[in-house]
Amino acid sequence: MIIKNVQIKNFRSLSNVSVTLRKTNILLGPNNCGKTSFLEALNYAIGWDRKPPQEDDFFVDDTENFDPQKAEPIEVILDFYEGFQEHDRFSETITQTFDGVIQYDESIVKEGEEPIKFLRLKYTYGFDVFAGKYIEKRSFLDRENNIITGKNTYVKKEHLTFFPYFYLETMRDIKKEMRSKSSFWGKLKGKVDYSHNEKRIKRLISLLDQLLVKKEEKLNELVLRLKDIQKSIKISDDEDNVYLQALSSRNWELLDGLNLYLKTSKSNISLPIDKHGMGTQNIITLIIFNSYLSLLLPEIIENPETTPIVGIEEPEAHVYPHSQRAMFEQLCEMSGQKIISTHSPYIVDQADIHDYILFSNHEGKTEIKCIPEYKKNFNFKYGLPPKAYESNAFFGNEDIHVLKRYIQFKNTELLFSSVFLMCEGDSEKIFFEMISPKYLSRSLGRSGVSIISCDGQAYSNFLKISNKDALNIPWLIFSDGEDITMNSVKACVLSNGYSQEDLQKKVIFLPNKMDFEEYYINWLGEHVLENIIEQKYGNQALSIFIREEKKKIAQDITITNKEFINKFIDAKGKTIFGEYVAEYVINTTDEADLPSEIRELFRRLTDY
């Protein structure tokens, strides 16, 4: 049993959002877009260690006249579904426990197949005028979202044991974890039982106390001084009315001082875990939690059919990039359903693209988008022939391979951007990355802009993933202006569901059938490029190159000096010349001197 659908209303920036979850879910998006709020809303609804929300957790639409007591209640609706396979169906125990509130979904199975069973749980928190206080409620709903009433239909603690939610916040404190009795480490220690060795342990502790305390002269003198307390308060007349004890003899306190020591590969000493780096501490905290799920959860909840739901915020915090990859493998091995928020491209590039859930904030309201598995008009049914799913997939097998290559392995930053700019090659990418701080007063990265080098014109999959039916990420294209290139780009944009208006607003073509190198030669002038070549390659480099090139050319063919410069750039590397030209522009050119196409590009980027 896992959460399939989530709907949240009136909680912080989550004014009204809904999303479909999978077994593993990767929450993406910039800071302050609602990822943490999403995880915390689940915690309020079904958290194992839950507390009620606060007054400032209500969605605020009118900041001047906001009154939390008059606000619409916070609302979380969760659908818990059984799986399609026989071993994933609700057991007889679940069916009996939730008798009277189980719902049936016939829409996702073939006609004649057994319908899929699910539970719909609603959590609300708001001010009750008649009670004069904030009230939280949990109810089961039917398919039309009406509260189910009748005998044994109210939500009991027993029900929540089937899907306990555990929330691991970003600020994971290893010292608190090791010392607190309520932490996962504390709970693991608390379950250790020494009663079968109680007499032996007490005898050994007594011997240790003899060595550590009773045979030490200064400590004995300290006890005599402490007995002076009888001058202030009345104490027992027994000889042992005041004594020191180094070690507890109580079973439940024996492991109070239990600590974890770790010796790394490049160290010659073992250190307690709180003396290691924050990254190591973070990894250990997650491993302790996973151990808790495996070793202790069945005993604590006493429900063999428990499906833990784990919300983890930024597991990569303080962790070295290579370790982040290994950490994601560990997270995937955790039992139950995982909901993970992250800013790490090293986690994103390992996840399935359909696990991505992209958060964005528009005028104070969170919007959530996912990449669909199937085309919009496909009526999904379980049990159809395999070809039906293949032909209706949003991304085909070949598309998935291209996406992994261009997005997951090379350009994962676009999933964290507010807008991305596509260009043909690395020379344009480097050029714009370098000049933007001068003309925008900040880097493109600070502006939330990612530049994607598309290796020619490989725009299609970027456009598809940014489609409004997928992640809905704003985009721009800065393209060469040759006829064949322009026609190819236009066809690509229109075939991916965009309009002529999108072409006008989102694509900038270079003028006069130019490529990027011809464009900046024409803009800056041949003498500028000649000077750059002279500075970087020597006085005679260009003339020698031209002389050698002329030997290869037939007598009746005329090539201009500008064309020879372009050939030289191509021979030495367009990418490095993108850098050289950017250096020159930064040192010599004001914003007003930029050509209209570049000024227009910067204007459109700042609109986002």
Side-chain angles (χ1 to χ4, degrees), residues 257-274:
L258 184 70
N259 205 344
L260 172 65
Y261 285 77
L262 183 65
K263 186 176 184 180
T264 60
S265 61
K266 295 184 179 181
S267 173
N268 60 356
I269 187 172
S270 297
L271 294 172
I273 189 60
D274 63 351

Side-chain angles (χ1 to χ4, degrees), residues 1 36 70 98-99 178 210 212 215 233 246 294 302 348-349 351 374 396 424 434 506 514 554 583:
M1 183 190 312
T36 297
K70 297 178 181 178
F98 292 93
D99 182 38
M178 302 305 288
Q210 288 282 340
L212 296 174
K215 292 189 177 182
I233 63 173
S294 301
E302 296 180 352
V348 171
D349 67 15
Y374 301 103
E424 288 197 23
M434 289 181 65
K506 297 176 179 291
M514 295 181 185
E583 289 173 352

Side-chain angles (χ1 to χ4, degrees), residues 66-94:
F66 176 69
D67 181 352
Q69 294 188 4
K70 297 178 181 178
E72 290 294 315
I74 293 167
E75 184 177 293
V76 182
I77 297 178
L78 305 172
D79 287 347
F80 297 91
Y81 267 66
E82 66 178 356
F84 294 113
Q85 305 300 325
E86 186 175 345
H87 62 274
D88 290 326
R89 293 279 185 154
F90 284 174
S91 67
E92 185 176 344
T93 301
I94 294 175

Side-chain angles (χ1 to χ4, degrees), residues 31-72:
N31 292 325
N32 300 314
C33 64
K35 302 188 300 295
T36 297
S37 296
F38 185 86
L39 295 172
E40 291 188 353
L42 295 179
N43 195 46
Y44 288 133
I46 56 170
W48 193 243
D49 188 20
R50 57 188 177 273
K51 298 176 183 177
Q54 304 297 312
E55 288 190 344
D56 56 4
D57 284 328
F58 289 92
F59 171 72
V60 179
D61 199 16
D62 182 357
T63 55
E64 292 185 6
N65 301 304
F66 176 69
D67 181 352
Q69 294 188 4
K70 297 178 181 178
E72 290 294 315

Side-chain angles (χ1 to χ4, degrees), residues 156-363:
K156 296 179 285 188
K157 187 175 181 180
E158 178 190 7
H159 292 135
L160 300 180
T161 65
F162 283 87
F163 36 77
Y165 176 79
F166 299 92
Y167 174 40
L168 277 68
E169 301 173 75
T170 303
M171 301 304 291
R172 293 177 277 275
D173 186 343
I174 195 67
K175 291 184 179 179
K176 182 179 177 181
E177 180 68 31
M178 302 305 288
R179 295 172 185 171
S180 172
K181 290 185 178 180
S182 62
S183 69
F184 298 116
W185 179 258
K187 290 172 181 175
L188 284 164
K189 291 192 302 181
K191 279 294 179 179
V192 177
D193 184 7
Y194 289 116
S195 58
H196 59 291
N197 275 323
E198 188 172 358
K199 289 183 179 179
R200 186 182 178 200
I201 289 170
K202 284 186 176 181
R203 181 170 57 82
L204 292 172
I205 288 174
S206 177
L207 290 173
L208 283 170
D209 264 333
Q210 288 282 340
L211 290 170
L212 296 174
V213 178
K214 294 180 180 178
K215 292 189 177 182
E216 285 296 322
E217 184 178 333
K218 288 184 178 179
L219 292 178
N220 284 319
E221 185 179 341
L222 174 60
V223 170
L224 292 174
R225 291 177 180 271
L226 290 171
K227 285 179 178 286
D228 283 346
I229 194 173
Q230 62 191 338
K231 295 178 181 178
S232 302
I233 63 173
K234 188 174 181 179
I235 61 175
S236 167
D237 294 329
D238 294 341
E239 186 178 347
D240 61 350
N241 52 11
V242 176
Y243 67 93
L244 298 177
Q245 184 170 311
L247 302 170
S248 174
S249 60
R250 299 174 178 176
N251 279 346
W252 61 90
E253 292 179 345
L254 286 175
L255 297 181
D256 276 1
L258 184 70
N259 205 344
L260 172 65
Y261 285 77
L262 183 65
K263 186 176 184 180
T264 60
S265 61
K266 295 184 179 181
S267 173
N268 60 356
I269 187 172
S270 297
L271 294 172
I273 189 60
D274 63 351
K275 299 299 182 184
H276 286 269
M278 291 298 294
T280 302
Q281 294 182 25
N282 187 31
I283 293 171
I284 286 293
T285 304
L286 292 174
I287 293 174
I288 289 172
F289 171 70
N290 197 16
S291 302
Y292 168 83
L293 288 183
S294 301
L295 302 175
L296 208 57
L297 187 61
E299 293 182 31
I300 292 175
I301 295 181
E302 296 180 352
N303 182 349
E305 300 193 54
T306 290
T307 301
I309 300 164
V310 183
I312 305 178
E313 190 174 14
E314 297 180 28
E316 74 275 6
H318 310 292
V319 178
Y320 189 70
H322 289 80
S323 297
Q324 291 178 25
R325 295 183 185 278
M327 174 184 284
F328 183 68
E329 294 177 11
Q330 292 176 318
L331 294 175
C332 290
E333 291 170 2
M334 281 185 181
S335 60
Q337 186 176 25
K338 277 82 66 175
I339 308 168
I340 303 165
S341 76
T342 182
H343 294 287
S344 169
Y346 304 101
I347 287 178
V348 171
D349 67 15
Q350 295 181 88
D352 188 304
I353 63 166
H354 295 108
D355 292 341
Y356 300 160
I357 301 176
L358 185 64
F359 284 64
S360 58
N361 192 306
H362 299 277
E363 299 180 348

Side-chain angles (χ1 to χ4, degrees), residues 2 16 24 28 31 83 92 100 108 131 134 149-150 160 207 220 244 250 260 286 335 337 403 441 448 500 524 558:
I2 64 172
N16 187 359
T24 299
L28 306 173
N31 292 325
E92 185 176 344
I108 56 176
Y134 291 94
T149 58
L160 300 180
L207 290 173
N220 284 319
L244 298 177
R250 299 174 178 176
L260 172 65
L286 292 174
S335 60
Q337 186 176 25
L403 283 169
S441 301
Q500 288 287 346
L524 298 173
T558 301

